[in-house]
């Protein structure tokens, strides 16, 4: 399970780009929170995968997808599963 954060200037296609990268890796967004204010867009997604995946590779793919639409994407393991 991953926690994916997105932030940058608001524009069309941000959610689509990140969701596509996650879907291509069989990721399922189970929770998504977004906020837009003063031209800035922020999103936080809780994502599940059906099998273990390489965190570094997934982070690289999401960051590349984010760069294409002008946002910064950060990825970390969801620690809630471990608590």
């Amino acid at each position: 399970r991953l926690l994916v954060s997105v932030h940058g200037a608001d524009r069309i296609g941000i959610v689509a780009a990140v969701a596509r990268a996650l879907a291509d890796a069989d990721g399922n967004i189970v929770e998504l929170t977004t906020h837009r204010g003063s031209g800035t867009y922020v999103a936080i997604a809780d994502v599940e995968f059906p099998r273990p995946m390489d965190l570094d590779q997934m982070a690289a793919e999401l960051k590349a997808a984010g760069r294409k639409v002008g946002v910064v994407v950060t990825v970390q393991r969801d620690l809630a599963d471990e608590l």
Side-chain angles (χ1 to χ4, degrees), residues 2-83:
L2 296 181
L3 190 61
V4 178
S5 302
V6 178
H7 71 276
D10 188 28
R11 65 178 282 182
I12 294 171
I14 295 171
V15 173
V18 173
R20 172 56 41 213
L22 290 167
D24 287 347
D26 295 328
N28 181 35
I29 299 171
V30 295
E31 187 171 342
L32 177 64
T33 303
T34 65
H35 177 76
R36 192 185 119 221
S38 300
T40 301
Y41 181 80
V42 177
I44 300 172
D46 189 4
V47 184
E48 293 180 337
F49 294 84
R51 61 190 162 283
M53 52 66 194
D54 183 315
L55 176 63
D56 292 333
Q57 180 180 347
M58 186 77 256
E61 291 171 13
L62 287 166
K63 289 177 183 198
R67 278 192 299 274
K68 289 179 183 177
V69 292
V71 295
V72 175
V73 179
T74 57
V75 180
Q76 66 184 50
R77 293 221 181 267
D78 186 349
L79 299 178
D81 289 341
E82 298 175 16
L83 298 177

